[in-house]
Amino acid sequence: MVTDWNSLLFPYNQAAKEWKVKLRGIREEYQIMDEHSPIEFVTSRIKSIDSIKEKMIRRDIDPERLTEDMEDICGLRIMCPFLDDIYQVVNILRKRNDIEIIEERDYVNNEKKSGYRSYHIVFRYPLQLLTGQRNILVEIQIRTLAMNFWATLEHSLNYKHPDVFPDDVHKRLQEDSETAFKLDEDMSQIRKDLIDDAKKQDKKGE
Amino acid sequence: MVTDWNSLLFPYNQAAKEWKVKLRGIREEYQIMDEHSPIEFVTSRIKSIDSIKEKMIRRDIDPERLTEDMEDICGLRIMCPFLDDIYQVVNILRKRNDIEIIEERDYVNNEKKSGYRSYHIVFRYPLQLLTGQRNILVEIQIRTLAMNFWATLEHSLNYKHPDVFPDDVHKRLQEDSETAFKLDEDMSQIRKDLIDDAKKQDKKGE
Amino acid sequence: MVTDWNSLLFPYNQAAKEWKVKLRGIREEYQIMDEHSPIEFVTSRIKSIDSIKEKMIRRDIDPERLTEDMEDICGLRIMCPFLDDIYQVVNILRKRNDIEIIEERDYVNNEKKSGYRSYHIVFRYPLQLLTGQRNILVEIQIRTLAMNFWATLEHSLNYKHPDVFPDDVHKRLQEDSETAFKLDEDMSQIRKDLIDDAKKQDKKGE
Amino acid sequence: MVTDWNSLLFPYNQAAKEWKVKLRGIREEYQIMDEHSPIEFVTSRIKSIDSIKEKMIRRDIDPERLTEDMEDICGLRIMCPFLDDIYQVVNILRKRNDIEIIEERDYVNNEKKSGYRSYHIVFRYPLQLLTGQRNILVEIQIRTLAMNFWATLEHSLNYKHPDVFPDDVHKRLQEDSETAFKLDEDMSQIRKDLIDDAKKQDKKGE
């Protein structure tokens, strides 16, 4: 059985640190060019030992195959200002040479039943350890600030009330997620209108 | 005239670093007690030299009195999950012994014309420098994740289109701010309902 | 008995973080003035739970009085380039308004039997917690890079060989500490000679 | 001519951040295994714009070939407790798959005229930028704490007295470097003797 959790989790902690620096670097690169950054901020978390154990039982995961079969031990989260920024970040990740993407799930346009929206990417990252290279699975969740507002509060409510939500609460949360999404769409539309206006002004000025 | 900006800004940079550690410590203290933290995350920024210069001219501020009269050179921002958390954070700050609060402005319930909402606190912080103690003005903006969503995107639009927004854009932004605020209120209501439900369950179980 | 170590150690962790930022700020203040900084780098450590338990038994410390009677739970270390820098740092700390120094021990000129040299300062720091202000004991060890070289290697040898060192090893370590101290004195002398030379040159140039 | 220094230096800053996390991870990996870490601490620095300009003139480097021909813009420094640790770190770096080593210089046993000792490694690191992959030159200096003591103080003296040192100062610095190196050798010998003793004890105990 898995026993030394510190040793087992070290590679995931290390991968999370390396990726936090890489992803924050993307934001800085845009800022130095004085361009709009599709990344507002980045966070990371390592799955708790209790959650890992619970998922091993629930999905009947062999301890020997833990690192191959559990893809969200090392998790990063990218918060984007605008809706379009999500897909810009996805494209940036797809072009990198230092990872191999093995899965993408678009919960932005296909939200979960709860109302949850985000874009998920899982990739293999060749981490250098003292014992040699090891391919680590990393999961990145990409979402807007509005989606993050909803997901953070829903998670907070869930944490304090772990039972299934009553039907009406469930429905109100879905509706609030929908309203947050409409806010995202509206802010994107305002942005496009302002850009179109600016173009028209430029033409007039010619 | 003020010339050595590095020296002039050093105390504000140092105060910002010290306060980032203090405010993040509040979140950790709640987490260690396994209680809901009213602080989700904390950021800081030092006013840019260009903005300081522009404000000195606009408000006719004497360079000699810059550090007494400009209260937002050192700025911190606290993002809260729920609406009520804002006032909990305000109370925590009011009780501290290491600062003297000199101004509070509630833009949460009295939003600015633009639609901007946040709670602002300005306080004096006795910073220890090599030349002795110096009282530094620090401004903390406290807002929900939903308010931060709106303010971040509005700022991004403003940055790219520095002219006054057309009337219809202005109105749509106000409406989106209103919608975001209603989302905050609704999530708070769901939270209260869940707590009330849990209390009723407890009573039944007795 | 003390049980919840996370809660017990939180204030010490928080104090260590706040002081790391304060002490590193001193270095930055010198650098911005383009002056020699008496602080080269700063580290911190919280006493391990095992060491706290062991010391409680050895010194018969009442758990209720742990935070008053154990003065090195929160430890910071300042590394100085030159010997004189140690006393400059001591003076900087003595002048601060945010602490009350309660003990100073000069192991620089009065080394321990092992050969250990450093200057120790213990002070009370009023930490702001959710429950109000709490005075935390903080110990700062101030030493040169040469003293730190010796102390780091001696500690490493001790960790791997926890028994008392054989007499000859003990003596060689004392001698190496003495040699390291002479290096400190010699580098200080070179520094003074160069400054004296520069002054003579200046006079000639007048 | 090179003009936008922020853009030019961004990749070096980013590479320095990524490598600081990678190298500090090596120390953590040893600590989690409860083994002696050959890395005590890690620092980084980016060459100042003034130094880059001065070197471009001195070595007649074409601005177009700056990033290929100047190998120390991105510099990292690894401080080791014991002499042997230097070569252990060199071996760890040689085994990594994420870099291509292009130069090694052993100033540990072949010190410079000044007395300077360190092991230098220059490698190519494939950095991921928005415009694609770019190979960045990174220089890592590996040295003991004793060598770092000497180099830090010599650099400090040099900075304040930029002229060539007088002959006697030059000689005394060489001698102090030699003494520091003998301290390194002596501490290594003590370490070996303690290990040998422990082995003998183990044999007796069988």
Side-chain angles (χ1 to χ4, degrees):
Chain A
M1 261 305 296
V2 182
T3 43
D4 185 355
W5 286 98
N6 272 339
S7 295
L8 185 127
L9 291 181
F10 169 77
Y12 299 96
N13 267 306
Q14 181 61 22
K17 282 182 192 166
E18 297 189 9
W19 274 91
K20 223 168 10 176
V21 169
K22 286 170 192 273
L23 297 174
R24 286 175 177 165
I26 297 173
R27 174 171 166 84
E28 283 163 44
E29 199 174 350
Y30 277 102
Q31 288 177 320
I32 273 170
M33 299 185 297
D34 198 27
E35 283 186 25
H36 169 74
S37 167
I39 295 180
E40 184 66 23
F41 66 97
V42 177
T43 62
S44 73
R45 75 100 187 75
I46 299 302
K47 206 176 182 68
S48 73
I49 296 172
D50 283 349
S51 302
I52 295 176
K53 282 179 182 167
E54 183 270 326
K55 195 170 182 176
M56 279 171 75
I57 292 166
R58 178 159 46 87
R59 295 215 184 164
D60 195 24
I61 295 174
D62 185 339
E64 295 299 309
R65 294 193 43 82
L66 180 61
T67 55
E68 289 79 34
D69 288 358
M70 203 175 294
E71 59 196 26
D72 64 345
I73 298 179
C74 175
L76 285 113
R77 200 170 279 160
I78 297 175
M79 265 55 73
C80 306
F82 292 95
L83 259 179
D84 293 348
D85 296 331
I86 292 179
Y87 297 96
Q88 193 175 338
V89 171
V90 170
N91 279 326
I92 292 169
L93 292 175
R94 282 183 189 150
K95 278 186 204 150
R96 291 184 75 107
N97 289 335
D98 54 352
I99 53 172
E100 182 200 351
I101 294 180
I102 58 171
E103 200 177 339
E104 299 193 19
R105 267 174 284 176
D106 185 344
Y107 298 124
V108 170
N109 292 300
N110 314 292
E111 76 271 19
K112 291 192 183 179
K113 268 189 191 168
S114 62
Y116 174 86
R117 290 178 200 262
S118 278
Y119 196 101
H120 290 199
I121 289 187
V122 178
F123 58 76
R124 270 197 204 90
Y125 173 56
L127 185 74
Q128 307 296 315
L129 295 172
L130 290 171
T131 46
Q133 181 175 309
R134 185 148 131 222
N135 289 321
I136 297 287
L137 292 182
V138 175
E139 186 192 74
I140 300 194
Q141 301 175 348
I142 311 163
R143 48 172 79 159
T144 61
L145 292 175
M147 292 171 193
N148 189 51
F149 148 76
W150 183 90
T152 304
L153 272 65
E154 198 262 359
H155 181 268
S156 169
L157 297 174
N158 232 319
Y159 186 80
K160 284 284 167 192
H161 310 277
D163 293 340
V164 176
F165 289 137
D167 277 354
D168 70 303
V169 167
H170 180 64
K171 214 185 142 199
R172 282 156 73 190
L173 285 170
Q174 280 179 325
E175 286 166 3
D176 285 348
S177 167
E178 196 60 27
T179 304
F181 191 60
K182 276 182 190 143
L183 277 177
D184 264 338
E185 289 179 318
D186 202 50
M187 293 301 265
S188 292
Q189 192 57 49
I190 293 175
R191 190 189 185 200
K192 276 169 202 152
D193 293 349
L194 284 169
I195 292 168
D196 286 349
D197 276 8
K199 281 184 189 157
K200 280 181 203 158
Q201 292 299 114
D202 281 0
K203 274 199 181 158
K204 274 189 195 163
E206 278 171 20
Chain B
M1 262 303 297
V2 183
T3 42
D4 185 355
W5 287 98
N6 272 340
S7 296
L8 184 126
L9 291 182
F10 170 77
Y12 299 97
N13 266 308
Q14 182 60 22
K17 282 182 193 165
E18 296 189 10
W19 274 90
K20 223 168 9 176
V21 170
K22 286 171 192 273
L23 297 173
R24 286 176 178 166
I26 297 174
R27 175 172 165 83
E28 282 164 43
E29 199 174 350
Y30 277 101
Q31 287 177 322
I32 273 170
M33 299 185 298
D34 198 28
E35 284 185 24
H36 170 74
S37 167
I39 294 179
E40 185 65 23
F41 66 98
V42 177
T43 62
S44 73
R45 75 100 185 77
I46 300 302
K47 207 176 181 68
S48 74
I49 297 171
D50 284 347
S51 302
I52 294 176
K53 283 178 181 168
E54 183 270 327
K55 195 171 182 176
M56 280 172 75
I57 293 166
R58 179 159 46 87
R59 296 214 183 163
D60 195 23
I61 295 174
D62 186 340
E64 295 298 309
R65 292 193 44 79
L66 180 63
T67 55
E68 289 80 32
D69 289 357
M70 203 175 292
E71 61 196 26
D72 63 345
I73 298 179
C74 175
L76 284 113
R77 199 168 282 160
I78 297 176
M79 266 54 74
C80 306
F82 292 95
L83 260 179
D84 294 347
D85 295 332
I86 292 179
Y87 297 96
Q88 194 176 336
V89 171
V90 170
N91 280 325
I92 291 169
L93 291 175
R94 283 183 187 149
K95 278 186 203 151
R96 291 185 74 107
N97 289 335
D98 54 352
I99 54 172
E100 182 199 352
I101 294 179
I102 57 170
E103 199 175 341
E104 298 193 18
R105 266 175 285 176
D106 185 343
Y107 297 123
V108 171
N109 292 301
N110 314 293
E111 75 272 20
K112 292 192 183 178
K113 267 190 192 168
S114 63
Y116 174 86
R117 292 179 198 261
S118 277
Y119 196 101
H120 290 199
I121 289 187
V122 178
F123 58 77
R124 268 197 205 90
Y125 173 54
L127 186 72
Q128 308 296 315
L129 294 173
L130 290 170
T131 46
Q133 182 174 306
R134 183 146 133 225
N135 290 320
I136 297 287
L137 292 181
V138 175
E139 186 190 75
I140 300 195
Q141 301 175 348
I142 311 162
R143 50 173 76 161
T144 61
L145 292 175
M147 292 170 191
N148 189 53
F149 148 76
W150 183 89
T152 303
L153 271 64
E154 198 263 358
H155 181 269
S156 169
L157 297 174
N158 232 318
Y159 185 81
K160 284 284 166 190
H161 309 279
D163 294 339
V164 177
F165 288 137
D167 278 354
D168 70 304
V169 167
H170 180 64
K171 213 186 143 199
R172 282 156 74 189
L173 284 170
Q174 280 179 325
E175 285 166 3
D176 285 348
S177 168
E178 198 60 28
T179 306
F181 191 60
K182 275 181 191 145
L183 277 178
D184 264 338
E185 290 179 318
D186 203 51
M187 293 302 264
S188 292
Q189 193 56 49
I190 293 176
R191 191 187 184 202
K192 277 169 200 150
D193 292 350
L194 283 169
I195 292 168
D196 287 349
D197 277 6
K199 280 183 189 157
K200 279 180 203 159
Q201 293 299 113
D202 281 359
K203 272 196 181 160
K204 274 189 195 164
E206 277 170 19
Chain C
M1 261 304 297
V2 182
T3 43
D4 184 355
W5 287 98
N6 271 340
S7 295
L8 185 127
L9 292 181
F10 170 77
Y12 299 97
N13 267 309
Q14 182 60 22
K17 281 182 194 167
E18 295 188 10
W19 274 91
K20 224 168 7 175
V21 170
K22 285 170 192 275
L23 297 173
R24 286 175 178 166
I26 297 174
R27 174 171 167 84
E28 282 163 44
E29 199 174 349
Y30 277 102
Q31 287 177 322
I32 273 170
M33 299 185 298
D34 199 27
E35 283 186 24
H36 169 75
S37 166
I39 294 181
E40 184 66 23
F41 66 98
V42 177
T43 61
S44 72
R45 75 99 186 77
I46 301 301
K47 207 176 182 68
S48 73
I49 297 171
D50 284 348
S51 302
I52 294 175
K53 283 179 182 168
E54 183 271 325
K55 197 171 180 176
M56 280 172 74
I57 293 166
R58 180 159 46 86
R59 295 214 182 164
D60 196 22
I61 294 175
D62 186 338
E64 295 298 309
R65 292 192 45 79
L66 180 62
T67 56
E68 289 80 34
D69 289 357
M70 202 175 294
E71 61 195 26
D72 63 345
I73 297 179
C74 175
L76 284 113
R77 200 169 279 159
I78 296 175
M79 267 54 75
C80 306
F82 292 95
L83 259 179
D84 294 348
D85 296 332
I86 292 179
Y87 297 97
Q88 194 176 336
V89 171
V90 170
N91 279 327
I92 291 168
L93 291 176
R94 282 182 188 150
K95 277 184 205 152
R96 291 184 76 105
N97 288 337
D98 54 351
I99 53 172
E100 182 199 351
I101 295 180
I102 58 171
E103 199 176 341
E104 297 193 19
R105 268 174 284 176
D106 185 343
Y107 297 123
V108 172
N109 291 302
N110 313 293
E111 76 273 20
K112 291 191 182 178
K113 266 190 191 168
S114 61
Y116 174 86
R117 291 178 199 261
S118 278
Y119 196 100
H120 290 198
I121 288 187
V122 178
F123 58 76
R124 268 196 207 90
Y125 173 55
L127 185 73
Q128 307 297 314
L129 294 173
L130 289 171
T131 47
Q133 182 173 306
R134 182 144 135 225
N135 290 319
I136 296 288
L137 293 181
V138 175
E139 187 191 75
I140 300 194
Q141 301 175 348
I142 311 162
R143 50 173 76 160
T144 61
L145 291 175
M147 293 170 191
N148 189 51
F149 149 75
W150 183 90
T152 304
L153 272 64
E154 200 261 359
H155 180 268
S156 169
L157 297 174
N158 233 318
Y159 186 80
K160 284 283 167 191
H161 309 277
D163 293 341
V164 177
F165 288 137
D167 278 354
D168 70 304
V169 167
H170 180 65
K171 214 184 143 200
R172 282 156 74 190
L173 284 170
Q174 280 179 324
E175 286 166 4
D176 285 347
S177 167
E178 197 61 27
T179 305
F181 191 60
K182 275 182 190 144
L183 276 177
D184 264 337
E185 290 180 317
D186 203 50
M187 293 301 266
S188 293
Q189 193 56 50
I190 293 175
R191 190 189 184 200
K192 278 170 200 148
D193 292 351
L194 283 169
I195 291 169
D196 287 349
D197 276 7
K199 280 183 188 157
K200 278 181 203 157
Q201 292 298 114
D202 281 359
K203 272 197 180 158
K204 273 188 196 166
E206 280 170 18
Chain D
M1 260 303 296
V2 183
T3 43
D4 184 355
W5 287 97
N6 271 340
S7 295
L8 184 126
L9 291 182
F10 169 76
Y12 299 97
N13 267 309
Q14 181 60 22
K17 282 182 193 166
E18 295 189 10
W19 274 91
K20 223 168 9 176
V21 170
K22 285 170 191 274
L23 297 173
R24 285 175 178 165
I26 297 175
R27 175 172 166 83
E28 283 163 45
E29 199 174 349
Y30 278 103
Q31 287 177 323
I32 274 171
M33 298 185 298
D34 199 27
E35 282 186 26
H36 169 76
S37 167
I39 294 180
E40 185 65 23
F41 66 98
V42 177
T43 63
S44 72
R45 76 99 187 78
I46 299 302
K47 205 176 184 68
S48 74
I49 296 171
D50 284 348
S51 302
I52 294 176
K53 284 178 180 166
E54 183 271 326
K55 196 170 181 175
M56 279 172 75
I57 293 166
R58 180 160 44 87
R59 295 215 183 163
D60 195 23
I61 294 175
D62 185 339
E64 295 298 310
R65 293 193 44 81
L66 180 62
T67 54
E68 288 79 35
D69 288 358
M70 203 175 294
E71 60 197 25
D72 64 345
I73 298 179
C74 175
L76 285 114
R77 200 169 279 160
I78 296 175
M79 267 54 75
C80 306
F82 292 96
L83 259 178
D84 293 348
D85 295 332
I86 292 178
Y87 297 97
Q88 194 176 337
V89 171
V90 170
N91 278 326
I92 291 169
L93 291 175
R94 281 181 189 150
K95 277 185 205 152
R96 291 184 75 107
N97 288 336
D98 53 353
I99 53 173
E100 182 199 352
I101 294 180
I102 58 171
E103 198 176 340
E104 299 193 19
R105 268 174 283 177
D106 185 344
Y107 298 123
V108 171
N109 291 300
N110 314 292
E111 74 273 19
K112 291 190 182 179
K113 266 190 191 169
S114 62
Y116 174 86
R117 289 179 200 263
S118 279
Y119 196 101
H120 290 197
I121 288 187
V122 179
F123 57 77
R124 269 196 206 92
Y125 173 54
L127 185 73
Q128 307 296 315
L129 295 172
L130 289 171
T131 46
Q133 182 173 308
R134 182 145 133 225
N135 290 319
I136 297 287
L137 292 182
V138 176
E139 186 192 75
I140 300 194
Q141 301 175 347
I142 310 162
R143 48 172 78 159
T144 62
L145 292 175
M147 292 170 192
N148 189 52
F149 148 76
W150 183 90
T152 304
L153 274 64
E154 199 261 357
H155 181 267
S156 169
L157 297 174
N158 233 317
Y159 186 81
K160 284 283 167 193
H161 309 277
D163 293 341
V164 177
F165 289 137
D167 278 353
D168 69 304
V169 167
H170 180 64
K171 214 185 142 200
R172 281 155 75 190
L173 284 170
Q174 281 179 323
E175 286 166 3
D176 285 348
S177 167
E178 197 61 28
T179 305
F181 191 60
K182 276 183 190 143
L183 277 177
D184 263 338
E185 291 180 317
D186 203 49
M187 293 301 266
S188 293
Q189 193 56 50
I190 293 176
R191 189 189 186 200
K192 277 170 201 150
D193 292 351
L194 283 169
I195 292 168
D196 287 349
D197 277 7
K199 280 184 188 157
K200 279 180 202 159
Q201 292 299 114
D202 281 358
K203 273 198 180 160
K204 272 189 196 165
E206 280 171 19

